């Protein structure tokens, strides 16, 4: 699909940046004229992916998180969130609802929410090399 | 985000305001735990009328509140959830474990 516009962001894996990442994604998506619901879906999916990179990827260090948003042909928004952290040993298992290595303050629902709020979700990960989450969603033109 | 509370006749109401994410959740839980220890409520209403955004961190928080109030034999539920938090709650399936009502405006 043809790329019409993009932004790239990089920030340290600190929780204070979660709200910023959501706001940046919402601001980029605004050019696609989304509904309030679509905007909420995008913010939620970004929050989940970025929070995972912050919470799980770097247990002992503050690494960096990269986020790329692309506007593709056909009013499709693609979101990529990447870390260079510990990676996921078993991606299929990690994506199952309620699976979590995060203890009581996590619910294990992050990937499930990303999958249900976006049209597509792809997770690529290698142990000790990092994780890349790519999601896309077609934004329907308002009033059509 | 902000957590305000009111207590009357065994019922504690927690008013959540703003955005609830991982960054905000730890401080919110500390405050809520203290409030629950003070009152040991029989019922705990999580009022989400002022909550404009929530992600899975909110699901864990709801479950934790439910567990805390359950320890003393009480129960918790969610009221006034707006569309985005409600959609996250629906996707998580916790509305099978805990009662959830929506805002009247929807
Ligand atoms: N970027 C990442 N790096 C390393 N491990 C990850 C990453 N993202 C997810 N994981 C692993 O996958 C599991 C499932 O992730 P998911 O987001 O579904 O749930 P969670 O983060 O544990 O809980 P929740 O998202 O509900 O707060 C995590 O517990 C963690 O073990
Ligand atoms: Mg998660």
């Amino acid at each position: 699909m043809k790329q019409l516009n993009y932004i790239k962001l990089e920030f340290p894996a600190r929780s204070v940046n979660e709200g910023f990442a959501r706001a940046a994604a919402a601001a980029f998506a605004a050019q696609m004229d989304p509904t309030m619901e679509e905007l909420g879906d995008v913010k939620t999916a970004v929050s989940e992916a970025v929070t995972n990179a912050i919470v799980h990827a770097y247990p002992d260090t503050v690494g960096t998180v990269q986020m790329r948003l692309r506007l593709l042909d056909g009013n499709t928004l693609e979101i990529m969130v990447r870390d260079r952290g510990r990676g996921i040993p078993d991606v299929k298992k990690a994506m199952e609802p309620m699976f979590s290595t995060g203890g009581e303050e996590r619910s294990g629902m992050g990937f499930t929410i990303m999958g249900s709020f976006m049209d597509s979700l792809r997770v690529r990960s290698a142990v000790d090399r990092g994780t890349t989450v790519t999601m896309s969603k077609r934004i329907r033109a308002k009033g059509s | 985000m902000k957590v305000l509370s009111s207590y009357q006749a065994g019922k504690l109401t927690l008013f959540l305001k703003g955005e609830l994410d991982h960054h905000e959740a730890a401080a919110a839980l500390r405050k809520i735990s203290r409030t629950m220890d003070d009152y040991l409520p029989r019922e705990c209403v999580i009022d989400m009328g002022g909550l404009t955004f929530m992600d899975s961190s909110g699901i864990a928080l709801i479950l934790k509140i439910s567990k805390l109030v359950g320890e003393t034999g009480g129960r918790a539920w969610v009221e006034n959830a707006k569309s985005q938090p409600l959609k996250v709650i629906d996707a998580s399936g916790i509305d099978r474990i805990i009662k959830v009502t929506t805002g009247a405006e929807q």
Side-chain angles (χ1 to χ4, degrees):
Chain A
M1 263 188 282
K2 208 173 127 208
Q3 167 180 297
L4 305 172
N5 197 6
Y6 73 90
I7 57 165
K8 286 181 182 178
L9 290 174
E10 185 177 295
F11 48 88
R14 295 188 187 283
S15 65
V16 67
N17 291 322
E18 291 158 8
F20 174 77
R22 287 198 296 278
F28 182 80
Q31 67 192 297
M32 307 171 76
D33 198 23
T35 63
M36 285 302 287
E37 183 175 5
E38 287 167 335
L39 216 45
D41 292 351
V42 167
K43 285 173 72 177
T44 312
V46 165
S47 203
E48 295 298 345
V50 167
T51 300
N52 276 355
I54 289 170
V55 171
H56 303 295
Y58 303 106
D60 312 311
T61 52
V62 179
T64 54
V65 181
Q66 293 175 334
M67 182 165 92
R68 185 189 69 196
L69 301 170
R70 297 204 292 163
L71 167 54
L72 304 175
D73 235 359
N75 222 34
T76 295
L77 176 67
E78 184 200 72
I79 302 166
M80 189 203 79
V81 176
R82 168 176 290 165
D83 64 68
R84 296 293 182 202
R86 76 200 307 188
I88 305 174
D90 185 343
V91 171
K92 195 162 167 266
K93 188 153 183 219
M95 292 177 78
E96 283 170 11
M98 319 243 302
F99 177 88
S100 180
T101 57
E104 210 176 39
E105 76 237 31
R106 311 257 51 95
S107 66
M109 294 307 297
F111 282 131
T112 304
I113 289 169
M114 289 179 241
S116 75
F117 283 37
M118 302 291 286
D119 297 336
S120 76
L121 167 65
R122 195 170 74 242
V123 181
R124 290 200 0 238
S125 190
V127 171
D128 293 334
R129 297 193 41 212
T131 301
T132 303
V133 173
T134 310
M135 316 177 264
S136 72
K137 186 179 185 69
R138 202 177 94 91
I139 304 297
R140 282 153 227 290
K142 267 189 209 156
S144 71
Chain B
M1 74 169 288
K2 265 177 143 174
V3 183
L4 304 174
S5 60
S6 75
Y7 179 81
Q8 204 185 15
K11 182 162 139 184
L12 176 69
T13 305
L14 300 166
F15 299 92
L16 309 187
K17 295 193 186 305
E19 304 208 337
L20 171 51
D21 63 6
H22 157 253
H23 181 64
E24 303 283 350
L29 179 60
R30 274 197 299 277
K31 170 146 197 215
I32 290 167
S33 301
R34 272 201 306 273
T35 311
M36 305 255 273
D37 284 347
D38 288 347
Y39 294 111
L40 299 174
R42 274 182 284 116
E43 300 186 312
C44 180
V45 179
I46 307 165
D47 189 316
M48 293 197 161
L51 201 66
T52 52
F53 176 85
M54 178 184 107
D55 64 16
S56 62
S57 308
I59 300 299
L61 186 70
I62 296 169
L63 291 173
K64 180 74 189 177
I65 293 170
S66 167
K67 195 176 156 205
L68 283 175
V69 65
E71 277 168 7
T72 52
R75 71 193 180 99
W77 65 90
V78 173
E79 284 184 6
N80 293 323
K82 289 187 175 160
S83 54
Q84 189 277 340
L86 187 65
K87 201 168 169 182
V88 171
I89 289 171
D90 283 347
S92 78
I94 57 160
D95 46 329
R96 285 181 306 223
I97 313 170
I98 174 164
K99 196 174 95 183
V100 177
T101 66
T102 63
E105 76 277 5
Q106 295 168 51

